[in-house]
Every structure is written in structure tokens, then in C-alpha cells.
């Protein structure tokens, strides 16, 4: 069995265009669904964050409406509470890529705040991409790709086909008008080819060793695709 690295945001907010802080963190489903899939196959999970801080869950992702009802919300909360790896993260700067068979970046709005400009994370992503190891990124996780630049300043993911949280979904969620920038638009500006699926529906794109998902509903299908590459 293999060791899989989960790289999570280390912040609890997203700074909006007017300077206010929107409470956020990581999105529960995007951690829980892949975690359960990987653990069921016997894989070991290690969580890493910038500075090794304990990651914070976006409280909105624990709401009944985000989990198909109260029962689902309770199950998600219990699953998160049981994940000891979340309570004992390693520092991103201390990660040795050679120790892992795959790398996974979940979303939530947190990565828009920190991983989008984190040079350590950016280098890890470039190295993971170049290694050929399975690399999974979902929803707002692709914000981290913006920091993945090569020595000439070009984005390492330019020309890659990906899925990411779309501007349409951000608009429907009511935050597009408040954001400093929108994920899909910024990725396209960096030369990344964002292939948008229907809002909120599962949508996974595979390009070489990169597996990406558009939204929370894409988390489990993305995990299944990563598992195929680990078998």
C-alpha cells in the first residue's frame, strides 16, 4: 500500500475585494470522500499545510444543505473528527516528495488566500507534475496551480487541460461579485485550459498524470481515478 499526501490550506479566511474576511478553510466533502476511498484501499494519508498549522474546516461545508440533509452533515462531522491526520499535519516545507506515491489538493476557498501565492507549494506541484506521480486537485484547490511557475516565469500547468471551480459556480454561490479575482479566469490567464462542466455536477478531467475535479461533487470520482493509477 502507498502513502498519499494531502496538501490543505492553512488559513481560516478568504480576503474579499473590500478587505473583509470571508470565513472559510477546507471543504469537508473534498477531504472526507477521497480520504475514505483511499483508506478503504489500505493507503496511508499524510496531511501537510503551510507551516504545519492545523487546518480549519469551512463551517458551511458542514451544513445540512451541503451534505444532503442533517444525517449526511452529522456523518461528515463524525468522519472529520475521526481523522487524526488532520490534527497532526506536517509542515509543507518538510515534505519529501519521494516518500509519496500520489499528491492530492482539496479545495474550499482557503487555497485562494494562501496556496495561490505559496512558493513552497508551487515547487511541490512542479516537482509532482514532472515526477509523473498521480496528482489530484479539486474545486478551489487549483488556485494552488497559480504558484507553480518554472524558472522562466511560465506556469508549469500552461497547456494542461483541467477542471476547476468555475466562474459560473462562483456567481451562483453569490461570491463572484465580492472576489478580488475568479479562479477560472485567473487560470486561463496563466495559460491553463479550463474545461467547464455543468455547474455543481461531477466533472473530472484527466491530462497525463494530472487529475482534476470541478466542484465538491467531483471529489469521489476524482479519488476513483487516482486509485486506478495507484493499482
Amino acid at each position: 500500500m502507498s502513502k498519499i499526501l494531502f496538501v490543505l490550506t492553512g488559513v481560516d479566511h478568504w480576503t474579499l475585494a473590500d478587505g473583509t474576511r470571508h470565513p472559510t478553510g477546507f471543504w469537508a466533502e473534498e477531504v472526507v470522500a477521497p480520504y475514505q476511498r483511499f483508506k478503504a484501499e489500505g493507503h496511508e494519508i499524510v496531511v501537510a499545510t503551510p507551516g504545519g498549522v492545523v487546518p480549519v474546516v469551512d463551517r458551511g461545508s458542514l451544513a445540512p444543505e451541503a451534505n444532503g440533509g442533517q444525517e449526511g452533515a452529522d456523518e461528515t462531522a463524525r468522519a472529520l473528527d475521526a481523522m487524526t491526520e488532520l490534527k497532526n499535519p506536517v509542515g509543507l516545507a518538510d515534505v519529501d516528495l519521494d516518500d509519496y506515491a500520489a499528491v492530492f489538493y482539496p479545495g474550499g476557498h482557503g487555497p485562494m488566500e494562501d496556496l495561490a501565492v505559496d512558493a513552497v507549494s508551487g515547487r511541490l506541484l512542479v516537482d509532482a507534475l514532472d515526477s509523473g506521480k498521480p496528482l489530484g486537485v479539486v474545486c478551489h484547490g487549483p488556485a494552488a496551480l497559480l504558484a507553480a511557475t518554472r524558472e522562466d516565469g511560465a506556469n508549469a500547468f500552461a497547456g494542461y487541460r483541467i477542471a476547476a471551480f468555475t466562474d459560473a459556480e462562483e456567481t451562483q454561490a453569490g461570491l463572484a461579485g465580492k472576489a478580488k479575482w475568479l479562479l477560472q479566469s485567473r487560470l486561463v490567464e496563466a495559460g491553463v485550459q479550463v474545461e467547464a462542466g455543468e455547474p455543481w455536477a461531477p466533472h473530472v478531467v484527466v491530462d497525463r498524470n494530472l487529475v482534476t475535479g470541478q466542484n465538491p461533487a467531483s471529489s469521489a470520482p476524482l479519488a476513483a481515478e487516482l486509485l486506478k493509477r495507484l493499482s
Side-chain angles (χ1 to χ4, degrees), residues 50-210:
V53 301
V54 175
V56 174
V57 65
D58 187 314
R59 304 305 300 179
S61 68
L62 298 178
E65 54 269 28
N67 292 277
Q70 188 60 53
E71 183 177 346
D74 292 342
E75 289 178 2
T76 297
R78 283 194 295 269
L80 280 179
D81 189 56
M83 290 173 59
T84 56
E85 297 91 344
L86 284 174
K87 301 163 188 172
N88 300 282
V90 300
L92 200 51
D94 298 323
V95 166
D96 184 344
L97 183 62
D98 290 340
D99 293 339
Y100 302 95
V103 178
F104 173 63
Y105 277 67
H109 281 100
M112 300 276 282
E113 183 77 17
D114 62 350
L115 298 181
V117 293
D118 190 297
V120 174
S121 172
R123 286 194 297 273
L124 176 65
L125 283 165
V126 173
D127 291 344
L129 187 68
D130 292 348
S131 74
K133 295 180 180 184
L135 172 60
V137 195
V138 70
C139 201
H140 287 90
L145 307 188
L146 296 170
T149 53
R150 299 196 183 276
E151 291 183 4
D152 63 359
N155 192 283
F157 293 86
Y160 275 77
R161 298 165 38 251
I162 77 161
F165 200 71
T166 63
D167 294 357
E169 286 167 318
E170 202 72 83
T171 298
Q172 291 176 18
L175 288 168
K178 303 175 183 178
K180 290 181 179 179
W181 49 273
L182 298 177
L183 180 57
Q184 179 183 359
S185 294
R186 183 63 65 85
L187 287 166
V188 170
E189 289 172 8
V192 183
Q193 299 178 25
V194 180
E195 298 185 352
E198 289 297 316
W200 312 110
H203 179 55
V204 174
V205 174
V206 179
D207 189 346
R208 289 156 275 186
N209 60 314
L210 178 64

